[in-house]
Amino acid sequence: MIGKLAGWDETIVALATPPGIGAIGVIRLSGKKAIEIVNGLFQSKDLTKQTANTLHVGLLKNNNTVLDEVVLSLFKAPASYTGEDVIEISCHGSPYVQQQVIAACIEKGARLAKAGEFTQRAFLNGKLDLTQAEAVADLIASNSEASRKSALHNIRGGFSSNLKELRDQLLSFSALIELELDFSQEDVEFADRTRLYDLVKRSYSTTSSLLNSFQLGNVIKNGVQVAIVGKPNAGKSTLLNTLLNENRAIVSDIAGTTRDTIEEILNIDGILFRLIDTAGIREHTSDIIESIGVEKSREKIQQADVALYLFDVNTNTRTDIESILQEIKKENSQILLVANKIDNTNEESVRLTFGNLPNVLFISAKEHRYIEVLKERLVDMVLQGNVQTEGTIVTNARHYEALQKISTSLADIVSGMDNKLPGDLLALDIRRCLHFLGEITGEITNEDQLDYIFSKFCIGK
Ligand code: GDP
């Protein structure tokens, strides 16, 4: 654990609710002087004499001016979010009142909190490990049911307990190796190499399943990019409108992505699907006309997680679609063929003609037919083999990188054991794994890294 940060012993204050007008605004203070500072403003009773976890109604007054009538929530160290004395002032939600209250707290000795500083203190006081603290930021930023669920799972220590299990496995492994080292002088052959092997294998598989969850984690956090392509008049914009009418997601921005193309976002079963370059669809500029050869379509298909190729069943033959499919396959392996306009024709014979193309389904974009099937198929394509929504899903690139290093070190141990490497060298590899684990949970970290992580929080959290 690193030492305490600069300004650590100061009492901090910040608005915890979004700035602007609201029914109430909550101002939060944390630190040794939190109670004393608010006590200097509070008129109704002596806060220093109150017990923890209590609410107090009364007036806040500074320099003979009444600031507001407020409700105070009082928490005492160490049983608070930050592990310090914390007071939350619920005042009326006028930005002016809030500013006045914060200014009065500063006048009495508090200072403005930096972004994420409350959670950072919680982390430094051992209330949360780093993965839990990061999950707090993820929860605040969550914009779908799936991302909310995954963040909450991690705040509650879901990921931490996986890491603890991994750590325990490594420590038992290390204990066995140390034992071998202790006896090395006496020429005692280590009794049970199979047990050792089992332990490493188990750690390796724990690590692998966490690593494997990252693909889904990424999807949950950032959404799935879908390119809708097809010849002009295939019905792309009709399909887009049909989907958007029912499922347009209300999202502000999604972390970690730049919005250099215009896109629409759909929320299907809690997963965000980002329809890329929808402006192109509307303007008919990025049609996959003359099949491919149009660079923009190629790029769009490459860039997407899923390429949805829409075609009109009335104007295409099976051979047309097969040859287009060959082209698309070069750019993307996740292809969904969508046969459109089945309302215009004999559905049965159309199904016979196109039915055994790979991953094909039939819809009428205009008549809203089988749109549910299309949505289900999209979700299935994302989740295939990945349906572990109850378990931990790694959503954080920092964790993913550290897990990759752990996995490599574990693979080194396995091959070391295969090559009968001496125990002291194996012990080094284990220490390396434990080091990377510590990096994830924050036991081993540095100030710059912490500042970076917490700077992504909002002020007041
Ligand atoms: P885009 O060029 O691929 O964007 O195609 P549009 O969405 O503009 O559709 C072209 C024409 O096909 C329009 O006249 C639509 O009304 C029509 N269309 C789209 N989907 C369907 C469908 O499912 N059934 C029928 N009968 N017509 C459709």
Side-chain angles (χ1 to χ4, degrees), residues 219-230:
V219 157
I220 286 176
K221 204 163 169 177
N222 300 322
V224 188
Q225 294 214 317
V226 181
I228 300 181
V229 287

Side-chain angles (χ1 to χ4, degrees), residues 421-440:
L421 223 60
D424 47 353
L425 290 181
L426 295 178
L428 269 180
D429 280 328
I430 301 172
R431 255 173 251 147
R432 238 188 16 234
C433 290
L434 287 167
H435 175 90
F436 296 135
L437 263 184
E439 270 187 3
I440 304 181

Side-chain angles (χ1 to χ4, degrees), residues 228-242 280-284 287 310 312 314 339-345 363-369:
I228 300 181
V229 287
K231 294 179 192 167
N233 288 324
K236 297 181 294 300
S237 59
T238 309
L239 175 62
L240 183 66
N241 288 332
T242 300
I281 294 181
R282 296 222 152 102
E283 292 159 16
H284 288 214
D287 288 316
L310 190 70
D312 180 344
N314 304 295
N340 190 27
K341 309 198 189 180
I342 56 157
D343 56 295
N344 246 352
T345 173
I363 63 162
S364 163
K366 194 164 143 194
E367 308 274 312
H368 293 223
R369 276 199 232 163

Side-chain angles (χ1 to χ4, degrees), residues 347-373:
E347 185 179 331
E348 220 169 291
S349 77
V350 162
R351 283 187 185 266
L352 270 178
T353 312
F354 298 100
N356 58 356
L357 285 167
N359 208 16
V360 64
L361 54 84
F362 299 84
I363 63 162
S364 163
K366 194 164 143 194
E367 308 274 312
H368 293 223
R369 276 199 232 163
Y370 303 115
I371 300 299
E372 286 307 315
V373 178

